[in-house]
Amino acid sequence: IDEMKSIYDPQLHSRVLVKEYVTDHCLDLIAASAFWLHHYGRNDEALRLCDQVVDTMLPVIEATELVTKLTILTPVCRTLVNQRQLSASKKAHELFRTHVSDPAALAGGKAHPSMSMCVPIMIILKCCSSEGDAYADLSTDVAYMLNRKDLTYPVFFETGALTRFD
């Protein structure tokens, strides 16, 4: 990861990669590395990498590039939630809501089909950041998950989202 970070400059490369490939795969891999570092017990490095992604790489992603934001924030948020600290879970919830979920909701049907994963991910993040208590719109979220009919996309978009957070 250090070698890739030494070559990759998000301000120089990211827009070109997104234009060509829909998402910035270099940034995807850097963000995914945070979760792998956590998985291997290198928590301090994982959290530093999460901070680096959020502070220096996320800002160069255009507001309309929701797929890229989804793919980079999913492992970052998963790493934060797995810290089992309320403050980290709340940070993950706020990051995902601000950069992915709310903009995807505003885009509505114009958003990429993969953005359907936002709702189940947000439900998980709300649960993780609620200290085990019921949160304000829990009943709405439960009803949403139980009443899924006539999906306009494959169901694995949502179940895939659920498997990303264990």
Side-chain angles (χ1 to χ4, degrees):
I1 190 73
D2 291 333
E3 187 173 334
M4 184 177 2
K5 287 187 332 189
S6 73
I7 298 168
Y8 171 75
D9 177 353
Q11 294 198 349
L12 179 63
H13 300 115
S14 187
R15 284 191 178 101
V16 175
L17 291 169
V18 169
K19 183 178 178 184
E20 189 65 30
Y21 301 108
V22 181
T23 187
D24 180 342
H25 294 293
C26 289
L27 186 48
D28 294 348
L29 291 172
I30 291 169
S33 297
F35 184 74
W36 285 107
L37 287 168
H38 167 75
H39 177 74
Y40 285 112
R42 295 164 60 184
N43 245 7
D44 291 340
E45 291 174 83
L47 292 173
R48 278 194 303 273
L49 188 55
C50 287
D51 287 341
Q52 183 179 15
V53 167
V54 170
D55 296 339
T56 65
M57 298 175 187
L58 182 61
V60 302
I61 305 299
E62 296 288 329
T64 57
E65 300 300 340
L66 297 178
V67 173
T68 298
K69 289 185 176 202
L70 172 69
T71 58
I72 65 171
L73 284 178
T74 298
V76 167
C77 290
R78 186 175 181 196
T79 300
L80 291 171
V81 166
N82 282 337
Q83 299 304 305
R84 307 286 189 238
Q85 297 173 350
L86 184 59
S87 61
S89 294
K90 286 183 175 184
K91 179 179 180 179
H93 174 255
E94 186 61 22
L95 278 169
F96 199 83
R97 184 189 62 74
T98 302
H99 294 283
V100 182
S101 181
D102 286 356
L106 287 173
K110 295 178 184 176
H112 190 276
S114 65
M115 299 314 291
S116 62
M117 291 191 293
C118 290
V119 174
I121 290 174
M122 276 303 294
I123 292 171
I124 292 167
L125 291 173
K126 285 189 254 183
C127 289
C128 291
S129 63
S130 70
E131 295 186 287
D133 297 328
Y135 53 90
D137 54 348
L138 176 63
S139 60
T140 302
D141 288 345
V142 170
Y144 173 87
M145 293 305 288
L146 294 177
N147 295 312
R148 306 299 294 141
K149 296 178 184 170
D150 303 323
L151 295 175
T152 58
Y153 48 81
V155 72
F156 64 80
F157 280 174
E158 286 189 355
T159 56
L162 297 174
T163 62
R164 291 180 184 255
F165 285 84
D166 44 15

